[in-house]
Structures are given as C-alpha cells and as structure tokens.
Amino acid sequence: MKPGKVDALLGIVFGDEGKGKVVDYFTPQYDVVARFAGGPNAGHTIIFDGKKFVLRSIPSGIFDEGKINIIGNGCVLAPDLFMAEAKELEAAGYDLKSRLHISLRTQLILPTHRLLDKAYETLKGKNAIGTTGKGIGPTYSDKAARVGLRVGDILDRFDEKYAALKARHERILHSLDFTDYDLSADEARWMEGVEYMKQFQLVCCETELARYLDEGKSVLAEGAQGTMLDLDHGTYPFVSSSNTTCGGVCTGLGVAPSRIGDVFGIFKAYSTRVGAGPFPVELFDETGDRIREIGHEYGAVTGRNRRCGWLDLVALKYAVIVNGVTQLIMMKSDVLDEFSTIKVCTAYRQNGRVTTELPYDTADCEPVYEELPGWQQDLTQMKSESEFPQALKDYIRFIEDYIKVPITIVSVGPDRQATIVR
Ligand code: GDP
Ligand code: IMO
Ligand code: MG
C-alpha cells in the first residue's frame, strides 16, 4: 500500500481464487476499495467471526466501517440483485449508505439482458459458454454498441429510455423465436431496485478517485473473474465480456496507468474452472473429484461443479506478464494437505511440440507435469511460515523460481484469520 496509488488485486486464472477473502483481509490498510469490472457473475466469499457473506456486485471492503467502497464505471449492475445483496448486508447491521458509492457511468443489466443471455446460450447449443446467466455478455455488448443504459440514466426520463431498450431487446428475442417468457415479476422487482439505488451516492468515480489520490489516500482495486476469462487475453470465446486484467483497472475506474502501484496476483495452489472452454490441466479421475470435495469447488453463483486440476504454471506465467504482477498470493494451500505427491504443469505439449508459452488456442494442449512430494500435514491451524512443512516450502520455492515473482501471502483456510504473510 502506498499513499496516492491504486493497488490491484486480480484473479489471475479462471476466477474463484479467493479474491473476496483477501480484499476483506487487506481493507484495513486502504482508504478506498473499488470494483472495476464484472457484475453479479462474480461471487466473492468472505468469512469472519463465524459469519459468511457472498458478494456479487458490492466490493469486499464493505465490512470495514469508515472505508469508501465504489462500484466503478467498468462494472455492470442489476438493480434488483444489487438491492437484494445490499438489503442482506443492511439486515446484518452494515450501514451501506455512508460507505457505498456507485459510478453514474456503470452500465445497467436489464431483465431482458438476462433473457438474451439465455437465448444466445441456447442458440449456441453444444458450443455454449456456460455463462452465469446474469446478462453479462448482452449488457457489455450494448455498451460497445452505444445503446446501453447507465446508472446516470435513472435520474432523468428513465421510463422512456428503459422502454426503448426493452423494445429493442424484445425485437431481437422475437427474431430468435425466444418468446416464452413472462417479465412482469422480474421487471417489478427491477424497477424497485432502480428506486432503491437512488438513496446511494451516485458519483463520477474517476473524479472522486483522482481527488482521493491527490489527498494521498490509498485505493485497492478489486478484480472479478480472472485473467483467463478476460475478453482479450483469456480463452476466447469461452470468456466473460470485460477486461478483468490490469488494464481494466484504468478503464474501469478512470485512473491513469501511472497511478497503479502494486499488482497482487491471486491463484489457488491447484486449478479450477467453471463453465465450458479449454482447460488442459483438468483431471477426470479420482484426484480431480477429491480436490473438488476437499476444496468445496462448487460455484458460489450457480452452484455448478467446478472443474479441477493441478496448478498450471504456463497459464500463471502468462497472467503475470499480462498484468505486471508484483506479488503473488497463493490460496487454498490446505486443500492439498492429504496428497502424497503433487503435480505441477510446467509446459504444454501441442502437436508434438513442447512449449512454456501460452498458445493461441489451448484446446489441444496436453500438460507436461513435474511431480513434487506432498506435505501430508494439516496446515489449517498454522499461524506463521516458520511452522510450514519443508514440502510446502519447496512447493512455494518451485513456483517462485518458475514465475520469478515472490509469493507474499499463503492462505490456509477460508476464514479471514487463516492468512499467513511471509
Ligand atoms: P473469489 O470469487 O475469487 O472471491 O472466490 P470465491 O469466493 O468464489 O471462491 C473461493 C472459495 O474458497 C470460497 O468458498 C472461500 O471461502 C474459500 N477459500 C478462500 N481461501 C481459502 C483457503 O485458503 N482455504 C480453503 N479451504 N478455502 C478457502
Ligand atoms: P469471480 O469474480 C469463475 C465464467 C462463467 C462462464 C464465463 C462467462 O467469482 O471469480 P458470464 O456470465 O461472465 O458471461 O460467463 O465466465 N465466470 C466465472 N467463473 N468466477 C467468476 O467470477 C466468474 N464470472 C464468470 O462460468 O464460463
Ligand atoms: Mg467467485
């Protein structure tokens, strides 16, 4: 953390790395926490004092009184889901109105965006992406097409603007023969959400952040999804529709590149992916099932099984380059406690050729593994690095030697407390 700088905490694989936990853990060190991309496709889990929260659109710094949390212009927001999420936090005793600001430029997810998401997925058949169904792709498409609605629009002649975009969407839905829907209940809740949003400070986040940074305040940008789901740099077309990488911090919050300080790259001690798309390290055997079981690898948003595999250093190295990662954070190390050996993917084999650089398409890549001894010890009660078994120290060293970036935090359990700084 440096005054006047924006540090970024980014998932650097396929999402669900534990961003929520670490943002919550880091928040006391920062003045402001801001989300810059994604929307309710995200599910960020935070556990402390025996309580568990899963945040979708609200930044994970929200539990710390006195800190400003911003939903940035690069995000997409569904008013009905936002209202439900915010009310749950308010019911748990957190006063959001003083802490949460929303960018006037944040794009709105309409109920019809969700229908379009479903329609497009259905149309793709076996090539479906396996989206979260939250309308993310259609909303970002409308943003790029310059027809989307933004939070600022709710303040003036909104009904008119809403009706025009909804009509546009319905024309598309009908042209796709997607007519079997009833919007009324959804739409009523959505409109209630729009009214509810008006109680919050709706801001120009770029101007607000520039002021904070000039005052010497520190900002933590909370990533959503992960590098391999980035619209440009991920496994396209099996990606989300925003820039989840470091460049997205600048465009998604309106901060200059020169303001970026540290870039924390967060990954799990193994790999997971939810949804379709290439995943060279995927395990289809008992080991994969065991990782899923121990790591509770089921989607926080959709409840789907997460696909599991060993750590992929080819993907990790690529993500470190794309994001300019300065520090690595390794999560869920405890999930590997019982394994006698642990494999790590250090290269891909594609058409008989071995490479350590991420190819354009990884669909036909086979992982090349190195095998390391497991630690077979319970990490969950450990409080400092000095307690780490040698095999874990060797695992950490192996990754650092390959990636050439230090692992500064090791997480050994889901609770806020189970976080070891090296
Ligand atoms: P995010 O989307 O990156 O915020 O991650 P998710 O919340 O979707 O998924 C991470 C899951 O792992 C959550 O259920 C967390 O409670 C859990 N978790 C986080 N860190 C650890 C850890 O070190 N060990 C274990 N066992 N679970 C963890
Ligand atoms: P967090 O922030 C894991 C995946 C979906 C799908 C693809 C596109 O919790 O890490 P979308 O609904 O965005 O159009 O879906 O991206 N996906 C995620 N996977 N974690 C996430 O967020 C994800 N957000 C989207 O499963 O494969
Ligand atoms: Mg998640």
Side-chain angles (χ1 to χ4, degrees):
M1 187 281 294
K2 288 184 208 80
K5 288 284 185 190
V6 181
D7 290 346
L9 186 135
L10 308 173
I12 53 171
V13 204
F14 285 108
D16 300 327
E17 297 92 348
K19 297 175 290 290
K21 172 184 159 159
V22 178
V23 169
D24 167 68
Y25 177 81
F26 274 167
T27 296
Q29 303 171 36
Y30 291 87
D31 299 300
V32 181
V33 178
R35 275 275 304 267
F36 63 88
N41 50 348
H44 294 181
T45 314
I46 293 122
I47 299 175
F48 58 92
D49 301 341
K51 289 178 280 191
K52 174 177 166 177
F53 298 92
V54 180
L55 300 180
R56 307 271 161 88
S57 292
I58 296 175
S60 302
I62 201 72
F63 302 100
D64 200 338
E65 201 181 346
K67 303 299 164 87
I68 299 294
N69 283 258
I70 302 177
I71 298 175
N73 58 275
C75 297
V76 289
L77 192 63
D80 50 350
L81 301 184
F82 166 73
M83 176 174 66
E85 186 178 334
K87 283 190 169 173
E88 198 182 317
L89 292 175
E90 285 176 327
Y94 299 99
D95 167 33
L96 297 201
K97 301 217 175 61
S98 61
R99 306 181 198 181
L100 184 63
H101 299 182
I102 306 172
S103 169
L104 286 156
R105 299 187 213 281
T106 303
Q107 294 279 329
L108 293 175
I109 303 174
L110 271 59
T112 40
H113 280 129
R114 296 192 283 247
L115 291 176
L116 286 168
D117 196 354
K118 285 199 187 77
Y120 293 146
E121 281 284 270
T122 307
L123 219 63
K124 285 198 170 106
K126 66 175 179 33
N127 296 321
I129 296 166
T131 71
T132 58
K134 303 292 176 199
I136 305 298
T139 306
Y140 279 114
S141 301
D142 276 356
K143 175 183 180 176
R146 298 158 294 179
V147 296
L149 291 178
R150 306 193 289 182
V151 168
D153 286 313
I154 69 175
L155 303 175
D156 179 43
R157 292 181 299 113
F158 184 62
D159 288 350
E160 215 175 286
K161 296 180 214 167
Y162 174 80
L165 187 55
K166 178 185 160 187
R168 182 188 171 99
H169 289 163
E170 292 204 290
R171 280 197 298 277
I172 301 171
L173 288 164
H174 285 229
S175 76
L176 299 173
D177 278 335
F178 201 86
T179 49
D180 188 18
Y181 59 82
D182 179 6
L183 269 179
S184 45
D186 229 18
E187 204 171 28
R189 228 180 357 259
W190 195 87
M191 285 298 179
E192 201 190 319
V194 166
E195 284 309 307
Y196 177 81
M197 273 170 54
K198 290 180 182 166
Q199 324 160 51
F200 291 89
Q201 286 195 50
L202 308 179
V203 301
C204 285
C205 82
E206 50 281 71
T207 315
E208 184 176 350
L209 282 171
R211 191 172 66 245
Y212 290 147
L213 293 168
D214 284 344
E215 288 167 0
K217 289 195 166 73
S218 57
V219 178
L220 180 63
E222 171 178 1
Q225 290 79 54
T227 297
M228 303 309 286
L229 293 172
D230 180 280
L231 182 59
D232 284 84
H233 305 292
T235 55
Y236 189 90
F238 298 98
V239 291
S240 194
S241 296
S242 65
N243 283 119
T244 60
T245 43
C246 197
V249 176
C250 296
T251 53
L253 292 175
V255 296
S258 57
R259 294 286 202 182
I260 303 292
D262 260 314
V263 180
F264 300 101
I266 178 167
F267 68 102
K268 290 188 241 208
Y270 53 94
S271 302
T272 63
R273 168 163 209 175
V274 59
F279 187 33
V281 292
E282 182 166 13
L283 293 168
F284 298 95
D285 58 7
E286 273 171 27
T287 307
D289 293 342
R290 196 72 197 118
I291 294 175
R292 180 176 311 108
E293 221 170 287
I294 307 171
H296 302 290
E297 295 297 354
Y298 310 97
V301 174
T302 56
R304 288 178 290 177
N305 274 6
R306 292 178 185 149
R307 303 154 68 191
C308 297
W310 297 115
L311 184 62
D312 183 346
L313 291 182
V314 178
L316 217 61
K317 179 111 193 166
Y318 170 79
V320 164
I321 294 167
V322 169
N323 293 297
V325 169
T326 59
Q327 298 185 38
L328 287 166
I329 299 178
M330 184 165 85
M331 307 299 288
K332 302 190 89 159
S333 316
D334 55 297
V335 173
L336 300 185
D337 280 357
E338 72 171 45
F339 294 93
S340 56
T341 56
I342 295 172
K343 287 188 189 172
V344 184
C345 168
T346 54
Y348 291 160
R349 187 173 288 110
Q350 191 179 40
N351 303 323
R353 194 177 143 256
V354 172
T355 179
T356 55
E357 277 180 20
L358 195 87
Y360 171 68
D361 186 356
T362 56
D364 59 351
C365 286
E366 270 176 52
V368 177
Y369 289 119
E370 287 203 30
E371 202 158 336
L372 303 174
W375 42 91
Q376 294 191 286
Q377 220 173 304
D378 178 11
L379 300 181
T380 57
Q381 302 308 313
M382 294 187 180
K383 299 279 175 255
S384 79
E385 191 189 1
S386 61
E387 296 172 72
F388 282 175
Q390 189 56 43
L392 174 60
K393 289 183 184 163
D394 293 344
Y395 189 63
I396 292 170
R397 171 63 67 84
F398 187 89
I399 298 165
E400 289 181 331
D401 284 350
Y402 189 102
I403 306 284
K404 307 267 184 302
V405 174
I407 296 177
T408 53
I409 290 181
V410 176
S411 177
V412 294
D415 195 273
R416 191 191 267 172
Q417 307 274 342
T419 313
I420 296 174
V421 180
R422 298 178 71 216

